[in-house]
PDB file of all heavy atoms in Angstrom:
ATOM      1  N   THR A  22       7.252 -77.850  11.169  1.00 98.00           N
ATOM      2  CA  THR A  22       7.798 -76.708  10.434  1.00 98.00           C
ATOM      3  C   THR A  22       7.191 -75.405  10.950  1.00 98.00           C
ATOM      4  O   THR A  22       5.975 -75.273  11.065  1.00 98.00           O
ATOM      5  CB  THR A  22       7.467 -76.836   8.927  1.00 98.00           C
ATOM      6  OG1 THR A  22       7.893 -78.116   8.490  1.00 98.00           O
ATOM      7  CG2 THR A  22       8.152 -75.737   8.120  1.00 98.00           C
ATOM      8  N   LEU A  23       8.039 -74.437  11.246  1.00 98.00           N
ATOM      9  CA  LEU A  23       7.545 -73.132  11.674  1.00 98.00           C
ATOM     10  C   LEU A  23       7.115 -72.343  10.442  1.00 98.00           C
ATOM     11  O   LEU A  23       7.724 -72.463   9.370  1.00 98.00           O
ATOM     12  CB  LEU A  23       8.642 -72.377  12.430  1.00 98.00           C
ATOM     13  CG  LEU A  23       9.134 -73.085  13.695  1.00 98.00           C
ATOM     14  CD1 LEU A  23      10.380 -72.398  14.238  1.00 98.00           C
ATOM     15  CD2 LEU A  23       8.041 -73.137  14.755  1.00 98.00           C
ATOM     16  N   VAL A  24       6.098 -71.523  10.606  1.00 98.00           N
ATOM     17  CA  VAL A  24       5.565 -70.786   9.465  1.00 98.00           C
ATOM     18  C   VAL A  24       6.640 -69.894   8.835  1.00 98.00           C
ATOM     19  O   VAL A  24       6.740 -69.792   7.614  1.00 98.00           O
ATOM     20  CB  VAL A  24       4.315 -69.978   9.892  1.00 98.00           C
ATOM     21  CG1 VAL A  24       3.916 -68.989   8.813  1.00 98.00           C
ATOM     22  CG2 VAL A  24       3.160 -70.931  10.198  1.00 98.00           C
ATOM     23  N   VAL A  25       7.476 -69.279   9.657  1.00 98.00           N
ATOM     24  CA  VAL A  25       8.516 -68.405   9.093  1.00 98.00           C
ATOM     25  C   VAL A  25       9.466 -69.197   8.192  1.00 98.00           C
ATOM     26  O   VAL A  25       9.883 -68.712   7.135  1.00 98.00           O
ATOM     27  CB  VAL A  25       9.275 -67.629  10.202  1.00 98.00           C
ATOM     28  CG1 VAL A  25      10.127 -68.547  11.064  1.00 98.00           C
ATOM     29  CG2 VAL A  25      10.103 -66.511   9.597  1.00 98.00           C
ATOM     30  N   ASP A  26       9.779 -70.427   8.582  1.00 98.00           N
ATOM     31  CA  ASP A  26      10.662 -71.261   7.762  1.00 98.00           C
ATOM     32  C   ASP A  26       9.949 -71.721   6.493  1.00 98.00           C
ATOM     33  O   ASP A  26      10.560 -71.794   5.421  1.00 98.00           O
ATOM     34  CB  ASP A  26      11.156 -72.467   8.569  1.00 98.00           C
ATOM     35  CG  ASP A  26      12.104 -72.051   9.688  1.00 98.00           C
ATOM     36  OD1 ASP A  26      12.868 -71.091   9.478  1.00 98.00           O
ATOM     37  OD2 ASP A  26      12.073 -72.677  10.756  1.00 98.00           O
ATOM     38  N   LEU A  27       8.666 -72.029   6.632  1.00 98.00           N
ATOM     39  CA  LEU A  27       7.877 -72.409   5.460  1.00 98.00           C
ATOM     40  C   LEU A  27       7.897 -71.280   4.425  1.00 98.00           C
ATOM     41  O   LEU A  27       8.146 -71.504   3.233  1.00 98.00           O
ATOM     42  CB  LEU A  27       6.435 -72.717   5.904  1.00 98.00           C
ATOM     43  CG  LEU A  27       5.379 -72.826   4.813  1.00 98.00           C
ATOM     44  CD1 LEU A  27       5.626 -74.050   3.949  1.00 98.00           C
ATOM     45  CD2 LEU A  27       3.982 -72.891   5.420  1.00 98.00           C
ATOM     46  N   ILE A  28       7.651 -70.067   4.897  1.00 98.00           N
ATOM     47  CA  ILE A  28       7.569 -68.917   3.991  1.00 98.00           C
ATOM     48  C   ILE A  28       8.926 -68.632   3.340  1.00 98.00           C
ATOM     49  O   ILE A  28       9.025 -68.422   2.137  1.00 98.00           O
ATOM     50  CB  ILE A  28       7.054 -67.669   4.748  1.00 98.00           C
ATOM     51  CG1 ILE A  28       5.579 -67.863   5.142  1.00 98.00           C
ATOM     52  CG2 ILE A  28       7.227 -66.408   3.913  1.00 98.00           C
ATOM     53  CD1 ILE A  28       5.049 -66.787   6.086  1.00 98.00           C
ATOM     54  N   ARG A  29       9.966 -68.648   4.142  1.00 98.00           N
ATOM     55  CA  ARG A  29      11.281 -68.270   3.621  1.00 98.00           C
ATOM     56  C   ARG A  29      11.909 -69.374   2.767  1.00 98.00           C
ATOM     57  O   ARG A  29      12.429 -69.121   1.690  1.00 98.00           O
ATOM     58  CB  ARG A  29      12.234 -67.917   4.769  1.00 98.00           C
ATOM     59  CG  ARG A  29      11.883 -66.617   5.477  1.00 98.00           C
ATOM     60  CD  ARG A  29      12.812 -66.376   6.665  1.00 98.00           C
ATOM     61  NE  ARG A  29      14.211 -66.336   6.255  1.00 98.00           N
ATOM     62  CZ  ARG A  29      14.827 -65.252   5.804  1.00 98.00           C
ATOM     63  NH1 ARG A  29      14.175 -64.108   5.728  1.00 98.00           N
ATOM     64  NH2 ARG A  29      16.096 -65.307   5.448  1.00 98.00           N
ATOM     65  N   THR A  30      11.858 -70.603   3.272  1.00 97.00           N
ATOM     66  CA  THR A  30      12.605 -71.688   2.635  1.00 97.00           C
ATOM     67  C   THR A  30      11.785 -72.398   1.571  1.00 97.00           C
ATOM     68  O   THR A  30      12.241 -72.580   0.447  1.00 97.00           O
ATOM     69  CB  THR A  30      13.067 -72.695   3.708  1.00 97.00           C
ATOM     70  OG1 THR A  30      13.722 -71.966   4.736  1.00 97.00           O
ATOM     71  CG2 THR A  30      14.020 -73.715   3.127  1.00 97.00           C
ATOM     72  N   MET A  34      10.102 -66.733  -0.141  1.00 98.00           N
ATOM     73  CA  MET A  34       9.818 -65.313   0.089  1.00 98.00           C
ATOM     74  C   MET A  34      10.586 -64.874   1.333  1.00 98.00           C
ATOM     75  O   MET A  34      10.239 -65.256   2.455  1.00 98.00           O
ATOM     76  CB  MET A  34       8.310 -65.105   0.263  1.00 98.00           C
ATOM     77  CG  MET A  34       7.554 -65.380  -1.028  1.00 98.00           C
ATOM     78  SD  MET A  34       5.847 -64.831  -0.954  1.00 98.00           S
ATOM     79  CE  MET A  34       5.122 -66.131  -0.022  1.00 98.00           C
ATOM     80  N   THR A  37       9.971 -61.860   4.981  1.00 98.00           N
ATOM     81  CA  THR A  37       9.645 -62.143   6.378  1.00 98.00           C
ATOM     82  C   THR A  37      10.944 -62.555   7.068  1.00 98.00           C
ATOM     83  O   THR A  37      11.564 -63.546   6.681  1.00 98.00           O
ATOM     84  CB  THR A  37       8.602 -63.273   6.463  1.00 98.00           C
ATOM     85  OG1 THR A  37       7.473 -62.912   5.666  1.00 98.00           O
ATOM     86  CG2 THR A  37       8.168 -63.501   7.900  1.00 98.00           C
ATOM     87  N   HIS A  38      11.359 -61.791   8.060  1.00 98.00           N
ATOM     88  CA  HIS A  38      12.695 -61.990   8.639  1.00 98.00           C
ATOM     89  C   HIS A  38      12.685 -62.847   9.900  1.00 98.00           C
ATOM     90  O   HIS A  38      11.668 -62.929  10.591  1.00 98.00           O
ATOM     91  CB  HIS A  38      13.319 -60.626   8.955  1.00 98.00           C
ATOM     92  CG  HIS A  38      13.639 -59.834   7.735  1.00 98.00           C
ATOM     93  ND1 HIS A  38      13.899 -58.482   7.758  1.00 98.00           N
ATOM     94  CD2 HIS A  38      13.730 -60.204   6.425  1.00 98.00           C
ATOM     95  CE1 HIS A  38      14.145 -58.050   6.520  1.00 98.00           C
ATOM     96  NE2 HIS A  38      14.034 -59.082   5.706  1.00 98.00           N
ATOM     97  N   ILE A  39      13.824 -63.450  10.164  1.00 98.00           N
ATOM     98  CA  ILE A  39      14.030 -64.137  11.445  1.00 98.00           C
ATOM     99  C   ILE A  39      14.965 -63.256  12.260  1.00 98.00           C
ATOM    100  O   ILE A  39      16.109 -63.023  11.868  1.00 98.00           O
ATOM    101  CB  ILE A  39      14.654 -65.531  11.252  1.00 98.00           C
ATOM    102  CG1 ILE A  39      13.723 -66.421  10.430  1.00 98.00           C
ATOM    103  CG2 ILE A  39      14.934 -66.155  12.626  1.00 98.00           C
ATOM    104  CD1 ILE A  39      14.319 -67.776  10.083  1.00 98.00           C
ATOM    105  N   ASP A  42      13.973 -65.242  16.975  1.00 96.00           N
ATOM    106  CA  ASP A  42      13.538 -66.646  16.967  1.00 96.00           C
ATOM    107  C   ASP A  42      13.005 -67.084  18.338  1.00 96.00           C
ATOM    108  O   ASP A  42      12.964 -68.259  18.644  1.00 96.00           O
ATOM    109  CB  ASP A  42      14.694 -67.565  16.524  1.00 96.00           C
ATOM    110  CG  ASP A  42      14.188 -68.901  15.979  1.00 96.00           C
ATOM    111  OD1 ASP A  42      12.972 -69.036  15.748  1.00 96.00           O
ATOM    112  OD2 ASP A  42      15.016 -69.817  15.808  1.00 96.00           O
ATOM    113  N   CYS A  49       9.463 -61.295  12.281  1.00 98.00           N
ATOM    114  CA  CYS A  49       8.813 -62.351  11.491  1.00 98.00           C
ATOM    115  C   CYS A  49       7.312 -62.125  11.353  1.00 98.00           C
ATOM    116  O   CYS A  49       6.592 -63.037  10.945  1.00 98.00           O
ATOM    117  CB  CYS A  49       9.077 -63.703  12.141  1.00 98.00           C
ATOM    118  SG  CYS A  49       8.282 -63.858  13.762  1.00 98.00           S
ATOM    119  N   SER A  60       5.335 -65.234  13.086  1.00 98.00           N
ATOM    120  CA  SER A  60       5.368 -66.489  12.320  1.00 98.00           C
ATOM    121  C   SER A  60       6.433 -67.454  12.814  1.00 98.00           C
ATOM    122  O   SER A  60       6.461 -68.602  12.404  1.00 98.00           O
ATOM    123  CB  SER A  60       5.551 -66.201  10.826  1.00 98.00           C
ATOM    124  OG  SER A  60       6.802 -65.600  10.577  1.00 98.00           O
ATOM    125  N   CYS A  61       7.304 -67.003  13.736  1.00 98.00           N
ATOM    126  CA  CYS A  61       8.259 -67.944  14.358  1.00 98.00           C
ATOM    127  C   CYS A  61       7.571 -68.733  15.459  1.00 98.00           C
ATOM    128  O   CYS A  61       8.146 -69.653  16.012  1.00 98.00           O
ATOM    129  CB  CYS A  61       9.465 -67.200  14.939  1.00 98.00           C
ATOM    130  SG  CYS A  61       9.133 -66.377  16.516  1.00 98.00           S
ATOM    131  N   THR A  62       6.340 -68.332  15.798  1.00 98.00           N
ATOM    132  CA  THR A  62       5.624 -68.973  16.909  1.00 98.00           C
ATOM    133  C   THR A  62       4.302 -69.546  16.397  1.00 98.00           C
ATOM    134  O   THR A  62       3.266 -69.486  17.055  1.00 98.00           O
ATOM    135  CB  THR A  62       5.433 -67.950  18.051  1.00 98.00           C
ATOM    136  OG1 THR A  62       6.670 -67.268  18.255  1.00 98.00           O
ATOM    137  CG2 THR A  62       5.063 -68.618  19.375  1.00 98.00           C
ATOM    138  N   LEU A  63       4.358 -70.060  15.185  1.00 98.00           N
ATOM    139  CA  LEU A  63       3.206 -70.713  14.554  1.00 98.00           C
ATOM    140  C   LEU A  63       3.726 -71.963  13.857  1.00 98.00           C
ATOM    141  O   LEU A  63       4.796 -71.918  13.237  1.00 98.00           O
ATOM    142  CB  LEU A  63       2.611 -69.828  13.461  1.00 98.00           C
ATOM    143  CG  LEU A  63       1.730 -68.644  13.787  1.00 98.00           C
ATOM    144  CD1 LEU A  63       1.249 -68.030  12.480  1.00 98.00           C
ATOM    145  CD2 LEU A  63       0.553 -69.083  14.629  1.00 98.00           C
TER     146      LEU A  63
ATOM    147  N   LYS B  43      10.143 -75.467  20.729  1.00 98.00           N
ATOM    148  CA  LYS B  43      11.356 -75.045  20.026  1.00 98.00           C
ATOM    149  C   LYS B  43      12.588 -75.222  20.907  1.00 98.00           C
ATOM    150  O   LYS B  43      13.652 -75.590  20.429  1.00 98.00           O
ATOM    151  CB  LYS B  43      11.229 -73.576  19.581  1.00 98.00           C
ATOM    152  CG  LYS B  43      10.246 -73.390  18.427  1.00 98.00           C
ATOM    153  CD  LYS B  43       9.954 -71.920  18.166  1.00 98.00           C
ATOM    154  CE  LYS B  43      11.125 -71.197  17.541  1.00 98.00           C
ATOM    155  NZ  LYS B  43      10.778 -69.784  17.238  1.00 98.00           N
TER     156      LYS B  43
END
Side-chain angles (χ1 to χ4, degrees):
Chain A
T22 308
L23 299 170
V24 168
V25 68
D26 292 325
L27 167 68
I28 292 171
R29 290 176 58 85
T30 309
M34 293 192 282
T37 305
H38 292 164
I39 298 175
D42 202 11
C49 66
S60 64
C61 77
T62 314
L63 282 183
Chain B
K43 288 170 72 177

